[in-house]
Amino acid sequence: DSGVTQTPKHLITATGQRVTLRCSPRSGDLSVYWYQQSLDQGLQFLIQYYNGEERAKGNILERFSAQQFPDLHSELNLSSLELGDSALYFCASSSGSQFSYNEQFFGPGTRLTVL
Amino acid sequence: DQQVKQNSPSLSVQEGRISILNCDYTNSMFDYFLWYKKYPAEGPTFLISISSIKDKNEDGRFTVFLNKSAKHLSLHIVPSQPGDSAVYFCAAPLYNFGNEKLTFGTGTRLTIIP
């Protein structure tokens, strides 16, 4: 158990809809990261938040947005869903030290299926 | 642009033998590398890492080798055990004062045959 929790575990929805994925980081971690893993693909970095502020951005679609709240949990919002958005979405957290690479601890993921 | 590549999608190894998983990278800015292990229905878990100032790092049955000139790293597992059956991802971060992007390879599914 990494200490990172994600809800829901599974999500099935229709094209055009909007969903919200939730992540609670490990206790004490300030950084939260979101990744997308499509079928037979590696994990693609989407976005990083640190203590409520956006820190780094990957190839995140404009239809996707994220935020980190004062209690440090994060939400990833996916809108106008398309079939190709079906994937596993992972959240990770780290301490967020600014002076070295921080090991990232991953949650169990949310499996999104768009029908 | 796949900056971290794992060209073998799958690998089968007899229990007790050595498993060798390979990874290539293209970005010369990478100076730290990690291997993650992933079981079904779980998130990736950190396995072992190596800094570019080293060419080898060992942790129990797991050893990672780095060849900077070839931009190649490999993970050796010896002896291989059934519990090692999982998907292994090679990854490299780009980090700068807390801004971090972790780039993953596509993974290699390792199956240990009893």
Side-chain angles (χ1 to χ4, degrees):
Chain A
D1 184 358
S2 67
V4 178
T5 60
Q6 289 186 249
T7 56
K9 209 164 184 166
H10 301 278
L11 199 48
I12 301 174
T13 187
T15 54
Q17 295 297 304
R18 172 189 165 98
V19 297
T20 297
L21 313 183
R22 183 187 169 104
C23 168
S24 292
R26 291 187 323 156
S27 176
D29 281 355
L30 298 178
S31 265
V32 169
Y33 314 77
W34 286 98
Y35 293 86
Q36 179 192 55
Q37 185 185 18
S38 302
L39 192 64
D40 292 333
Q41 296 290 313
L43 284 76
Q44 302 290 323
F45 170 76
L46 294 178
I47 198 162
Q48 177 203 0
Y49 276 82
Y50 175 81
N51 204 19
E53 293 189 4
E54 183 184 304
R55 266 288 170 86
K57 215 165 184 176
N59 295 326
I60 186 168
L61 299 172
E62 283 192 17
R63 300 184 286 110
F64 295 2
S65 65
Q67 53 184 326
Q68 186 180 26
F69 294 86
D71 67 352
L72 301 177
H73 91 271
S74 177
E75 292 181 357
L76 179 68
N77 300 296
L78 315 176
S79 61
S80 302
L81 284 168
E82 302 175 359
L83 295 177
D85 297 327
S86 295
L88 270 167
Y89 291 85
F90 289 101
C91 168
S93 75
S94 77
S95 62
S97 164
Q98 296 192 29
F99 304 105
S100 64
Y101 173 70
N102 300 279
E103 182 182 338
Q104 297 181 24
F105 296 86
F106 284 80
T110 293
R111 181 174 292 281
L112 173 66
T113 303
V114 182
L115 301 175
Chain B
D1 176 25
Q2 194 69 27
Q3 298 186 56
V4 178
K5 301 176 189 179
Q6 293 176 259
N7 293 318
S8 298
S10 63
L11 177 67
S12 294
V13 174
Q14 208 79 34
E15 182 180 356
R17 306 293 288 268
I18 184 170
S19 296
I20 300 176
L21 296 92
N22 294 304
C23 177
D24 298 295
Y25 63 96
T26 57
N27 191 336
S28 301
M29 298 288 290
F30 292 147
D31 62 1
Y32 191 74
F33 303 89
L34 308 96
W35 285 92
Y36 279 84
K37 177 178 180 179
K38 185 182 178 305
Y39 292 118
E42 294 183 13
T45 54
F46 170 74
L47 188 60
I48 192 169
S49 64
I50 188 165
S51 165
S52 61
I53 61 173
K54 294 184 172 184
D55 55 16
K56 176 182 172 181
N57 189 27
E58 201 169 344
D59 184 3
R61 296 186 298 112
F62 303 91
T63 303
V64 57
F65 295 92
L66 175 61
N67 182 333
K68 281 184 67 179
S69 60
K71 293 193 174 72
H72 177 84
L73 59 155
S74 61
L75 174 68
H76 292 212
I77 307 173
V78 56
S80 300
Q81 299 175 354
D84 297 329
S85 294
V87 178
Y88 289 79
F89 292 97
C90 168
L94 284 173
Y95 54 100
N96 179 25
F97 296 105
N99 302 339
E100 294 166 9
K101 297 183 182 183
L102 192 56
T103 302
F104 282 84
T106 51
T108 296
R109 183 180 301 277
L110 176 64
T111 303
I112 305 302
I113 305 164

